[in-house]
Amino acid sequence: MTASPAGILKTIGELSVDEFMQRHWQRKPLLARAALPGFESPVSPETLREMASRDDVQSRLIARRGERWTLEQGPFEQLPSRRRAGWTVLVNGLDRHLDAAHALLRRFRFLPDARLDDLMASYATDGGGVGPHADSYDVFLLQAHGQRRWRVAPPNDGSLVPGAPVKLLARFAPTQEWLLGPGDMLYVPPGWGHEGTAAGECITLSIGFRAPSRHEFLSAFLAASADNPGGSDPRFSDRGRVASHQPGALPPDLVTQLQGWASDWRPRRSDIERFIGCYLTEPAPDVWFEGAGRMHSLAQFTTQARRRGVVLDRRTRMAWRGTQVFINGEPCDTAPHERAPLRALANARELSAARLGTVLQHPALVQRLHAWSRDGWLHLGTVQATGR
Ligand code: SIN
Ligand code: CO
């Protein structure tokens, strides 16, 4: 058995993560009081306000006046006053911007990285919330600051209030209700109705998951296959056609040819597997890597990496399957000696100096790590030293 990377949660409330996975994951909600021992919020109300003003951060402002809801997209030069009740600002992708938020998300790596999405924060004034809704994804709602009342309802037909700018369940019949304080956490499975209402000023963190739908996956796969058709690309031709008397009719030979191309199309298994690895490690849509500022030469990089180790950038997505390794949407053809260290890097998100000492004699691996550091995908140091 391989040891899990340090810091990953071992319990959710009174349950071990194994028990949680068997009894609650994708099945039913769970409230865990004081879920993360020693928990401290990775973000303050002031930092969230500042983040909501930035154009490289995705944010939304939701407010309610009686039955009327409003939704505005950020960035926000000015948010409503803290004294005004009933508004919420949501800030997405906190883990991509703050090391402390990324460290918190990493604690949930008892689920595969390919399922973990991001850490969203919501700041609300008294009475604020986004209304009763259901999400298509699992979510852990971790109370970071102040208090929020949550009500949950089993899945129903999911019909929505027509015309509202936010998704509001038309029918919401809560069966359970809790008041959460700092460190308390509520797990909500996909499809379950939930509504959180701030009891005074508060911050809630949402640890969100991703799960592709068939349609999303196939449209991405078909688009990628169309961009890279591979092999020969025959074109329709109709030498010997007789003159047409009904030019508006679709020519049967053309239809048959196109039908044949569509029904004979069989992507190779290896191409599908390669695509899956790339698809599941594609960086989040708002991520772009700047590359390293001051560049180390290969020799300098090797010396430094031997001394300090290497750590993945917090925005990097890396995964492996069998002999294949994928990073930030790109496949890597690996030599046998590279596989163990690259798998270890994907699992731990770092390679310690001690580990690197034994593998850095392989020029291909060093060149690969050096190229990734040039792209800004990894850095010198360790998770502990850099906080990444
Ligand atoms: C919130 O924190 O206000 C919304 C989070 C959610 O319901 O998923
Ligand atoms: Co929700």
Side-chain angles (χ1 to χ4, degrees), residues 295-353:
M295 221 13 250
H296 291 287
S297 68
L298 184 62
Q300 287 168 330
F301 175 80
T302 311
T303 313
Q304 290 286 329
R306 261 207 187 99
R307 206 172 286 154
R308 298 165 58 193
V310 293
V311 57
L312 292 181
D313 185 88
R314 56 177 180 249
R315 297 161 304 170
T316 285
R317 287 184 170 159
M318 185 176 183
W320 61 270
R321 180 168 191 268
T323 60
Q324 295 180 304
V325 174
F326 304 91
I327 181 164
N328 289 332
E330 292 192 8
C332 310
D333 293 316
T334 53
H337 65 261
E338 292 182 287
R339 286 176 200 148
L342 290 180
R343 282 180 188 182
L345 178 60
N347 288 338
R349 298 190 62 83
E350 68 176 4
L351 285 175
S352 65

Side-chain angles (χ1 to χ4, degrees), residues 60 62 88-90 120-124 128-131 133-135 137-143 148 150 188 194-198 202-207:
R60 284 164 293 163
I62 297 175
T88 295
V89 67
L90 303 169
M120 182 186 84
S122 74
Y123 165 86
V130 303
H133 66 281
D135 298 314
Y137 308 102
D138 309 79
V139 66
F140 288 99
L141 298 157
L142 173 60
Q143 194 58 27
R148 191 189 283 266
W150 284 100
V188 182
H194 53 289
E195 179 182 36
T197 309
C202 79
I203 296 178
T204 304
L205 304 174
S206 301
I207 291 96

Side-chain angles (χ1 to χ4, degrees), residues 52 57-64 68-80 84 87-92 165-166:
V57 177
Q58 208 194 331
S59 58
R60 284 164 293 163
L61 175 66
I62 297 175
R64 177 184 190 170
R68 205 173 94 77
W69 291 83
T70 54
L71 165 69
E72 283 174 67
Q73 302 289 342
F76 301 99
E77 256 176 47
Q78 181 111 46
L79 285 169
R84 199 180 113 192
W87 62 271
T88 295
V89 67
L90 303 169
V91 178
N92 283 93
V166 289

Side-chain angles (χ1 to χ4, degrees), residues 12-340:
I12 307 285
E14 319 240 294
L15 303 180
S16 69
V17 288
D18 291 328
E19 288 166 336
F20 166 79
M21 293 304 289
Q22 280 160 18
R23 297 185 205 165
H24 290 269
W25 180 249
Q26 300 235 311
R27 294 179 203 275
K28 57 182 181 183
L30 177 70
L31 173 73
R33 295 276 179 209
L36 282 78
F39 169 74
E40 274 177 38
S41 176
V43 70
S44 63
E46 292 69 32
T47 306
L48 276 183
R49 288 179 88 89
E50 186 276 316
M51 291 183 79
S53 71
R54 282 167 44 184
D55 57 11
D56 63 334
V57 177
Q58 208 194 331
S59 58
R60 284 164 293 163
L61 175 66
I62 297 175
R64 177 184 190 170
R65 286 242 170 107
E67 289 310 298
R68 205 173 94 77
W69 291 83
T70 54
L71 165 69
E72 283 174 67
Q73 302 289 342
F76 301 99
E77 256 176 47
Q78 181 111 46
L79 285 169
S81 153
R82 280 168 93 154
R83 285 187 296 277
R84 199 180 113 192
W87 62 271
T88 295
V89 67
L90 303 169
V91 178
N92 283 93
L94 225 63
D95 53 295
R96 300 196 278 278
H97 298 284
L98 300 177
D99 285 332
H102 186 248
L104 177 59
L105 190 65
R106 280 201 310 268
R107 306 200 64 186
F108 291 80
R109 291 183 81 217
F110 56 90
L111 284 144
D113 291 341
R115 292 282 276 118
L116 259 179
D117 188 9
D118 77 344
L119 191 98
M120 182 186 84
S122 74
Y123 165 86
T125 56
D126 187 41
V130 303
H133 66 281
D135 298 314
S136 339
Y137 308 102
D138 309 79
V139 66
F140 288 99
L141 298 157
L142 173 60
Q143 194 58 27
H145 168 82
Q147 293 184 312
R148 191 189 283 266
R149 184 171 306 283
W150 284 100
R151 301 192 297 157
V152 299
N156 61 21
D157 68 356
S159 52
L160 300 177
V161 173
V166 289
K167 283 187 179 171
L168 297 175
L169 284 174
R171 274 177 295 283
F172 180 60
T175 50
Q176 283 169 294
E177 170 173 337
W178 303 275
L179 182 67
L180 272 67
D184 294 344
M185 184 166 80
L186 175 63
Y187 164 71
V188 182
W192 280 70
H194 53 289
E195 179 182 36
T197 309
E201 179 189 73
C202 79
I203 296 178
T204 304
L205 304 174
S206 301
I207 291 96
F209 293 82
R210 53 195 176 120
S213 74
R214 179 173 180 269
H215 174 80
E216 282 163 5
F217 172 70
L218 286 182
S219 46
F221 180 53
L222 293 174
S225 304
D227 282 347
N228 307 298
S232 66
D233 186 17
R235 189 173 292 280
F236 172 74
S237 73
D238 53 1
R239 183 178 295 160
R241 178 184 297 289
V242 294
S244 172
H245 299 293
Q246 300 192 77
L250 288 177
D253 57 338
L254 176 53
V255 171
T256 306
Q257 177 67 87
L258 298 186
Q259 254 174 356
W261 283 342
S263 53
D264 294 347
W265 184 62
R266 292 272 177 283
R268 283 184 308 189
R269 203 184 166 85
S270 57
D271 290 342
I272 304 174
E273 286 183 355
R274 202 173 169 86
F275 175 77
I276 290 172
C278 298
Y279 177 71
L280 293 176
T281 56
E282 197 60 56
D286 61 352
V287 166
W288 65 93
F289 290 92
E290 306 79 23
R294 194 174 64 83
M295 221 13 250
H296 291 287
S297 68
L298 184 62
Q300 287 168 330
F301 175 80
T302 311
T303 313
Q304 290 286 329
R306 261 207 187 99
R307 206 172 286 154
R308 298 165 58 193
V310 293
V311 57
L312 292 181
D313 185 88
R314 56 177 180 249
R315 297 161 304 170
T316 285
R317 287 184 170 159
M318 185 176 183
W320 61 270
R321 180 168 191 268
T323 60
Q324 295 180 304
V325 174
F326 304 91
I327 181 164
N328 289 332
E330 292 192 8
C332 310
D333 293 316
T334 53
H337 65 261
E338 292 182 287
R339 286 176 200 148

